[in-house]
Structure formats: structure tokens, C-alpha cells
């Protein structure tokens, strides 16, 4: 009986996966035909070999003028179901290969849908930043003894939500604005009730721009930090001193995408309201990422690796390094999600707010969702 149920469950899962794959293929084929017809009718451009993969159109732009690229990308991005337009500096035969995700080594420009509540982001999420707002769950084993416990579960809830996106004039450069918010919590798995140790709340208004391979992200943000009740009860008979940590600030990050899936970024931040008042203002952040341009189609999976480095004036500009490596599943037809499974390493002053004066080291394994 149990074997029969398991077989039926497996068969059902395979049927759903097959149906999703068939729906994705059908949708992409429809978009490809629609896009070719739209370009021919509206712009008199004959590009019958347009490739569409998971709603992303690859536009071969090797033989197009700048004005034709701008007009074509705008027309294509307005087609229902299109997630993005990739402007590739390649010919039509090369575009067919690039659309299969097997030989993408050049740097491409992306043009995203515009208007209210658009899909996607102009500034890609930072893969290794411990405080980038997204949904995640991770197990971390602390090598140091100055955090509350060695075995810690860390979860986060949040997202970057664009409210409005538009082009700069008649160019392919774009801007967007929206909100970014996240909650980050640590739980001590070694305590009798897996005590909540610390929770950080971050909320911000942001604006970002993208032009070709360059993108920028600026925000006005608030962060506050709070301790868990069980943790405080356990610390009543100790000399632990709670800090009322709360501050507002502004930051700016600049990013550039190189060939072969490499991305570099850097920026800085300053605080204009601080509690405690003695908290120092300035910080810097920079890093490097690799998203493999080659995807394993059987699982819609690609390798990723990243390192994020931060320096705070508060800690005499010492280096905090966060490194992560793993795989990303990026079938955008499955609710538009990207799932990442990554091992991680951190060494530096902890990002968990109440313990910001403590230097820690940990290794871990986490699952991360990006919408």
C-alpha cells in the first residue's frame, strides 16, 4: 500500500514537472512568434530567429544600429509574458546557441519591463551579503565561543519590491524605485527551546539605475535590533548588557558585470541618526560574484560563488568577510523564483545587531529564495 502511494506521488510530481516544462516551451514559442511579428510590423526588422528562454528574449544586435536596438528592445519588453530582453552583441546563429544557455560568454545588456510593479530588478541581489533582504534559512556552526551557542539557525524574510520602472528618454538605460525590507533572526539550537537570540529589522526606500552592464543601488534605510525573551531570561543572572541599537542611514552601491558571469561591486554608507550616539558613522562594502553562464538544463541549475567584504569605522576598519558557494535553480516559470543552495563562511564582527562588538567565525549551509 505504502509503495503504491509513493509511486503515485512520484508519478504525480513527474507529471507536474512535465506539464510545467511543456507550458514553458509553449509560452516561449508563442512569445518568439509574437516578437518576430511585432518587429517586422512596427519597425520593419526581419528577425525570424529570435530565441526565447523562460520568457527572456535574446535580441541579436550585431547588425542593428543604436536607434534600432533601442526601439526593438522597447517593443519587445512591452510584450505580455516577457521577463527581460537581452541585447546580445552577436549574430542570429550565435543567438540560437546563447538562448540554449550553453555558450554565453559575452557581456549582454538587459532591458526590463517598465511601468507599475514591474517584474525583475535592475540591480541584482548581492549573493554573499548577510543583510541583503530575501527569504532564507540556514544552519551555522560557530567556531568562536562569544556568540550565544555554537549551533545557530538563521532565517530571513524580506524582498526588494520595485514600484515603478521607466527608461531614460529614448535610451535603453532604465531607472526604478521601490521599497526594500527584511527581518533577520538567529535561534540557538543548543538551548532547551531553541531560543530566539537576536532579530534585526531593516526597512528602506530605494532607487536603482541600469545602463548596459553598469547598475547602481541607493537607499535611505532604518535598522533596529532586538533580543529574544528566552535569551534575556537566561541572562538575568549574568552581566550581559543590552544595547538599544537603532539607526538611520544612506548607502550607495555600484556594480559592473564582466564577461563570463563575473560581477564586481563596491560602495559605502553613512549614518545620520544613531543610538547609541557614540556609534561611528562610516562603512564601506565591496565584493565579487560569479554566476556561471553555463546552465545544466536538466535541472535549470548553474554554479554560483561570491565574496562580500565590509569595513566599519566602528571596528577600526577591520575586514568582515562573507563567502558563499553553491548552485542556483533559476526556472523563472516556476512562480518566478530563484532557489539557491549554498555553503557559507563568515569571519569578522557579527552582523547580528546586538552583538556588533563581537568578532565571530562560522561555517554553514543555507537555502535562499529570490523572487
Amino acid at each position: 500500500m505504502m509503495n503504491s502511494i509513493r509511486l503515485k506521488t512520484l508519478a504525480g510530481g513527474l507529471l507536474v514537472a512535465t506539464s510545467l516544462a511543456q507550458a514553458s516551451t509553449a509560452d516561449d514559442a508563442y512569445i518568439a512568434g509574437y516578437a518576430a511579428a511585432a518587429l517586422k510590423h512596427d519597425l520593419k526588422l526581419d528577425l525570424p530567429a529570435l530565441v526565447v528562454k523562460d520568457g527572456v528574449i535574446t535580441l541579436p544586435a550585431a547588425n542593428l544600429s543604436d536607434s534600432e536596438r533601442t526601439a526593438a528592445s522597447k517593443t519587445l519588453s512591452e510584450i505580455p509574458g516577457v521577463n527581460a530582453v537581452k541585447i546580445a552583441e552577436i549574430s542570429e546563429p550565435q543567438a540560437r546557441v546563447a538562448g540554449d544557455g550553453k555558450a554565453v560568454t559575452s557581456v549582454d545588456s538587459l532591458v526590463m519591463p517598465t511601468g507599475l510593479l514591474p517584474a525583475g530588478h535592475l540591480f541584482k541581489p548581492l549573493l554573499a551579503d548577510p543583510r541583503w533582504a530575501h527569504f532564507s534559512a540556514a544552519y551555522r556552526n560557530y567556531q568562536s565561543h562569544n556568540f550565544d551557542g555554537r549551533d545557530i539557525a538563521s532565517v530571513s524574510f524580506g524582498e526588494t519590491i520595485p514600484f515603478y520602472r521607466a527608461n531614460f528618454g529614448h535610451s535603453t538605460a532604465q531607472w526604478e524605485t521601490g521599497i526594500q525590507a527584511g527581518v533577520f533572526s538567529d535561534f540557538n539550537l543548543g538551548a532547551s527551546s531553541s531560543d530566539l537570540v537576536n532579530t534585526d529589522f531593516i526597512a528602506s526606500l530605494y532607487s536603482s539605475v541600469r545602463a548596459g552592464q553598469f547598475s547602481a543601488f541607493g537607499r535611505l534605510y532604518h535598522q533596529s535590533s532586538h533580543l529574544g525573551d528566552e535569551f534575556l531570561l537566561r541572562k538575568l543572572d549574568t552581566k550581559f548588557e543590552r544595547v538599544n541599537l537603532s539607526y538611520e542611514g544612506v548607502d550607495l552601491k555600484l556594480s559592473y558585470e564582466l564577461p563570463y558571469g563575473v560581477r564586481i561591486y563596491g560602495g559605502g554608507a553613512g549614518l545620520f541618526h544613531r543610538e547609541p550616539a557614540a556609534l561611528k558613522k562610516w562603512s564601506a562594502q565591496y565584493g565579487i560574484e560569479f554566476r556561471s553562464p553555463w546552465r545544466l538544463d536538466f535541472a535549470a541549475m548553474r554554479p554560483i560563488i561570491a565574496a562580500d567584504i565590509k569595513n566599519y569605522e566602528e571596528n577600526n576598519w577591520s575586514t568582515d568577510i562573507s563567502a558563499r558557494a553553491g548552485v542556483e535553480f533559476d526556472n523563472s516559470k516556476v512562480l518566478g523564483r530563484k532557489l539557491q543552495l549554498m555553503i557559507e563562511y563568515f569571519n569578522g564582527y557579527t552582523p547580528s545587531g546586538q552583538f556588533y562588538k563581537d568578532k565571530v567565525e562560522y561555517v554553514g549551509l543555507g537555502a535562499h529564495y529570490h523572487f
Side-chain angles (χ1 to χ4, degrees):
M1 181 66 176
M2 289 301 295
N3 288 337
S4 175
I5 293 174
R6 288 171 182 169
L7 285 173
K8 289 178 181 179
T9 303
L10 178 59
L14 290 173
L15 181 61
V16 171
T18 302
S19 299
L20 286 171
Q22 290 174 343
S24 176
T25 301
D27 290 346
D28 288 343
Y30 170 78
I31 291 173
Y34 191 132
L39 291 179
K40 189 169 185 178
H41 179 269
D42 297 345
L43 305 177
K44 311 304 181 194
L45 292 176
D46 192 7
L47 297 173
L50 286 174
V51 173
V52 183
K53 186 74 172 178
D54 295 334
V56 178
I57 299 176
T58 300
L59 176 66
N63 299 318
L64 300 180
S65 66
D66 290 343
S67 60
E68 287 175 331
R69 295 183 187 193
T70 301
S73 62
K74 186 175 187 300
T75 297
L76 296 177
S77 66
E78 293 173 351
I79 295 174
V82 172
N83 295 322
V85 178
K86 181 189 296 183
I87 304 176
E89 303 293 335
I90 52 180
S91 63
E92 287 188 47
Q94 291 172 316
R96 286 193 289 272
V97 176
D100 291 333
K102 296 176 181 177
V104 183
T105 56
S106 62
V107 176
D108 304 313
S109 300
L110 282 177
V111 178
M112 309 292 288
T114 57
L116 287 171
L117 298 175
H121 302 96
L122 298 183
F123 189 90
K124 293 180 180 179
L126 301 182
L127 297 179
D129 184 352
R131 284 300 182 264
W132 187 267
H134 68 294
F135 291 82
S136 71
Y139 164 76
R140 294 167 179 169
N141 180 259
Y142 277 66
Q143 309 301 299
S144 52
H145 294 273
N146 55 346
F147 199 73
D148 186 57
R150 298 286 300 273
D151 297 312
I152 302 296
S154 295
V155 298
S156 69
F157 307 89
E159 193 51 73
T160 303
I161 304 175
F163 283 167
Y164 186 79
R165 182 183 300 139
N167 289 59
F168 285 101
H170 299 291
S171 71
T172 57
Q174 297 181 299
W175 64 272
E176 73 182 27
T177 187
I179 63 171
Q180 183 184 69
V183 179
F184 303 85
S185 296
D186 300 311
F187 296 85
N188 181 358
L189 299 179
S192 58
S193 59
S194 298
D195 298 352
L196 171 63
V197 179
N198 176 84
T199 298
D200 294 328
F201 297 87
I202 301 175
S204 69
L205 297 173
Y206 84 89
S207 184
S208 60
V209 299
R210 185 178 185 93
Q213 292 77 53
F214 170 81
S215 59
F217 181 94
R219 63 176 182 166
L220 172 67
Y221 70 96
H222 162 84
Q223 177 170 336
S224 60
S225 180
H226 306 271
L227 292 170
D229 292 341
E230 297 94 339
F231 172 85
L232 287 173
L233 289 173
R234 283 193 291 108
K235 297 296 182 179
L236 285 177
D237 57 349
T238 71
K239 295 182 179 180
F240 181 83
E241 181 180 353
R242 179 187 176 276
V243 178
N244 187 28
L245 184 66
S246 176
Y247 51 83
E248 286 75 46
V250 293
D251 65 13
L252 175 65
K253 301 175 181 67
L254 308 178
S255 167
Y256 193 82
E257 294 168 30
L258 301 166
Y260 296 96
V262 177
R263 176 197 190 192
I264 55 175
Y265 63 87
L271 307 180
F272 58 82
H273 176 269
R274 315 181 301 285
E275 190 175 350
L279 195 66
K280 295 181 181 178
K281 295 181 180 180
W282 305 108
S283 63
Q285 180 179 8
Y286 44 99
I288 185 169
E289 299 175 347
F290 170 72
R291 290 177 171 88
S292 173
W294 299 280
R295 188 174 72 173
L296 303 176
D297 282 338
F298 72 89
M301 178 179 72
R302 67 181 77 242
I304 54 176
I305 186 170
D308 180 83
I309 298 172
K310 294 180 180 178
N311 306 100
Y312 291 91
E313 182 186 11
E314 176 68 24
N315 299 323
N316 297 317
W317 301 106
S318 65
T319 298
D320 302 340
I321 182 167
S322 170
R324 294 176 179 173
V327 294
E328 177 179 86
F329 301 88
D330 60 354
N331 186 344
S332 63
K333 289 299 179 183
V334 183
L335 301 179
R337 296 175 179 174
K338 289 188 177 181
L339 167 65
Q340 299 165 348
L341 299 177
M342 293 190 285
I343 58 173
E344 56 185 68
Y345 172 79
F346 182 89
N347 191 320
Y349 286 88
T350 175
S352 298
Q354 285 287 326
F355 302 88
Y356 71 95
K357 294 181 181 180
D358 296 333
K359 197 166 186 177
V360 301
E361 181 181 18
Y362 64 72
V363 293
L365 175 67
H368 306 262
Y369 279 101
H370 293 274
F371 289 87

